[in-house]
Amino acid sequence: ITMQSISIRTPANQEAQMESRLNPNIFSDQQVKVWNPLTGQVLHILRAHRRSGYCITPHPCFPQIVVSIAHDGLICIWDVMKGTLIRKITVPSLFGPVPILDLVF
């Protein structure tokens, strides 16, 4: 089940525009998948979340950078062109993971 999907445009000089778009998706199986919408090819499967994902948002100036949040209290910042985790932030709580429901750059 796809929880959320966004389409981002890549910079013109990278990988022949990667056919001009990438689609990162956050899934209920704790994965963020980046795929090419024109070919349907999955380019990267990004794993860091321990519970279902909830939201994925691109950076307003650097579209290859996205942030994903989930019910595990993790904020993950990704480079979707490289398929790498840039940073993982945990929201501290005395009562266990804090579900994060929304996030904007």
Side-chain angles (χ1 to χ4, degrees):
I1 298 173
T2 302
M3 301 299 285
Q4 184 180 13
S5 175
I6 59 172
S7 180
I8 58 174
R9 292 210 173 270
T10 57
N13 61 346
Q14 291 185 358
E15 301 292 324
Q17 293 186 308
M18 294 290 287
E19 269 119 37
S20 81
R21 295 182 300 176
L22 294 177
N23 275 66
N25 294 278
I26 193 158
F27 285 82
S28 60
D29 64 358
Q30 305 148 11
Q31 299 176 353
V32 175
K33 293 182 181 177
V34 180
W35 55 282
N36 181 319
L38 299 178
T39 65
Q41 177 186 9
V42 175
L43 304 172
H44 305 291
I45 298 175
L46 312 173
R47 296 177 177 94
H49 291 291
R50 296 183 304 265
R51 291 196 182 160
S52 296
Y54 192 76
C55 182
I56 187 166
T57 304
H59 189 281
C61 299
F62 304 102
Q64 74 273 15
I65 305 298
V66 300
V67 63
S68 63
I69 59 173
H71 295 286
D72 57 7
L74 291 178
I75 301 169
C76 296
I77 302 171
W78 307 93
D79 182 324
V80 293
M81 290 295 294
K82 295 179 182 176
T84 58
L85 178 65
I86 296 171
R87 182 161 189 159
K88 183 165 57 173
I89 303 164
T90 303
V91 177
S93 169
L94 296 174
F95 306 104
V98 175
I100 302 169
L101 303 178
D102 199 10
L103 184 69
V104 177
F105 266 107

